[in-house]
């Protein structure tokens, strides 16, 4: 009996140690969020308001990948609410300084809200959130995404270009 308890205890400790190591390695994939401060201007506010008003999660063929649209109307609503929540949090601030870490925190909450959606819908949500990041003018990492080779990054920027953007200063047409 003592041997069984000792074995179960050692097994539990081993599982926790391996789980902790795997989590630690996974967390290292995410870059540290930027410490940048940018200015919220009337022009940036207008671009964010256009993005907020846009009918989101519709099918498109923006590079690098197309998108077939939200899996269900409920998923579209949930994802749209997550994106608009980040935009609303930014727009609630007065014109002037905006902290990257604060925007990153809102992006993290939005991503949590869509974590159970289909992969394509989560990815498209991320695309919209990176658009917010680029519209604001941040160049560093959000700290919320793992960058890979599949998505191109503009020179001097840490996040991939949002879907449909050709350069960091050339957004896709945004509108309702």
């Amino acid at each position: 009996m003592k041997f069984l308890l000792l074995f179960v205890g050692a097994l539990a400790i081993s599982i926790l140690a391996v789980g902790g190591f795997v989590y630690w390695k996974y967390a290292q994939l995410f870059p540290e969020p930027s410490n940048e401060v940018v200015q919220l201007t009337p022009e940036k506010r207008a671009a964010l308001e256009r993005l907020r008003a846009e009918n989101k999660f519709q099918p498109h063929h923006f590079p690098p990948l197309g998108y077939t649209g939200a899996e269900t109307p409920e998923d579209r609503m949930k994802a749209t609410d997550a994106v608009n929540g980040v935009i609303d949090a930014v727009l609630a601030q007065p014109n002037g300084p905006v902290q990257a870490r604060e925007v990153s925190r809102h992006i993290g909450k939005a991503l949590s809200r869509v974590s159970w959606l289909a992969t394509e819908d989560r990815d498209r949500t991320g695309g919209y959130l990176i658009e917010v990041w680029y519209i604001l003018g941040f160049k560093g990492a959000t700290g919320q995404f793992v960058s890979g080779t599949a998505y191109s990054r503009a020179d001097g920027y840490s996040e991939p270009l949002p879907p449909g953007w050709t350069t960091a200063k050339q957004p896709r047409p945004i509108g309702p």
Side-chain angles (χ1 to χ4, degrees):
M1 184 66 165
K2 283 185 181 182
F3 177 75
L4 181 62
L5 288 175
L6 187 59
F7 176 75
V8 169
L11 183 62
I13 289 171
S14 298
I15 289 171
L16 287 173
V18 168
F21 178 76
V22 168
Y23 177 77
W24 174 72
K25 290 299 279 181
Y26 175 74
Q28 286 185 325
L29 295 173
F30 293 86
E32 203 46 45
S34 174
N35 285 319
E36 294 170 275
V37 176
V38 298
Q39 296 296 312
L40 180 59
T41 64
E43 295 80 19
K44 291 176 184 178
R45 185 177 294 280
L48 289 170
E49 288 170 349
R50 281 193 315 276
L51 182 59
R52 190 186 192 299
E54 185 176 62
N55 189 10
K56 296 174 193 64
F57 298 93
Q58 301 300 314
H60 67 71
H61 298 290
F62 298 135
L65 300 172
Y67 176 64
T68 58
E71 196 167 272
T72 67
E74 294 80 17
D75 291 351
R76 176 179 292 119
M77 191 174 346
K78 187 174 194 170
T80 298
D81 288 347
V83 172
N84 287 347
V86 172
I87 295 170
D88 290 345
V90 172
L91 291 176
Q93 298 182 47
N95 287 347
V98 177
Q99 304 270 335
R101 287 195 180 257
E102 183 66 17
V103 176
S104 174
R105 188 176 62 78
H106 290 296
I107 288 173
K109 286 181 182 179
L111 291 171
S112 293
R113 292 178 62 194
V114 300
S115 64
W116 295 105
L117 296 183
T119 301
E120 294 80 11
D121 295 341
R122 289 192 317 266
D123 289 349
R124 186 64 189 112
T125 302
Y128 281 116
L129 296 173
I130 292 174
E131 275 190 276
V132 171
W133 192 254
Y134 268 79
I135 288 169
L136 288 170
F138 293 117
K139 292 184 177 185
T142 63
Q144 303 296 333
F145 302 100
V146 176
S147 295
T149 57
Y151 297 94
S152 62
R153 289 185 289 211
D155 288 339
Y157 288 77
S158 296
E159 294 294 352
L161 285 172
W165 286 50
T166 54
T167 71
K169 304 289 186 201
Q170 188 67 42
R172 66 179 176 82
I174 298 173

